[in-house]
Amino acid sequence: MFDAINNLLDACASGRGRDSMHKTAQFLADYVAKHFGDEEALQKQYHYPHYDAHHTFHVNYKKQLREAVDVIERSGATMENLQSLTQQVNVLLNHIRREDKRVAAHVRKNS
Ligand SMILES: [Fe+2]
């Protein structure tokens, strides 16, 4: 995932951002769908106490990301769409840093 984001940023810096944006958005949507599913299975296995709130975030985030991919598909790789995709990536990174870290600590403590 970090590779995909770095590739997009590199592409933007060298003026190829428009070609890469849709590819990156699609990759992120696929990656997130798989990663969230794996992580939810782990949370259930370890009876993570904040599963419900975490799961709700995952459901809403997947919907938002899917909408962002659809908008890019419909209206192309505009500056506005790049900003919206970047914002989505930041929300995901914050989630990983805070919430997924709590999950990891719980799993570590209980295994
Ligand atoms: Fe998560």
Side-chain angles (χ1 to χ4, degrees), residues 3-4 8 10 12 17 23 33 35 43 56 61 63 96-97:
D3 283 347
L8 177 64
D10 286 348
C12 289
K23 226 169 93 182
H35 166 79
Q43 290 185 27
T56 300
Y61 186 81
K63 191 169 166 259
I96 293 170
R97 284 191 199 110

Side-chain angles (χ1 to χ4, degrees), residues 49-104:
H50 310 291
Y51 175 84
D52 287 345
H54 202 118
H55 181 250
T56 300
F57 171 85
H58 280 181
V59 170
N60 291 333
Y61 186 81
K62 278 190 283 191
K63 191 169 166 259
Q64 281 171 25
L65 196 56
R66 178 53 54 198
E67 279 166 9
V69 172
D70 289 347
V71 168
I72 293 169
E73 251 164 27
R74 279 201 308 274
S75 61
T78 63
M79 215 47 214
E80 196 186 341
N81 288 346
L82 177 62
Q83 277 168 2
S84 144
L85 185 60
T86 305
Q87 199 184 340
Q88 295 287 332
V89 169
N90 284 334
V91 170
L92 179 62
L93 292 178
N94 285 333
H95 173 79
I96 293 170
R97 284 191 199 110
R98 294 188 53 188
E99 298 304 325
D100 290 349
K101 217 170 159 185
R102 288 173 79 191
V103 174

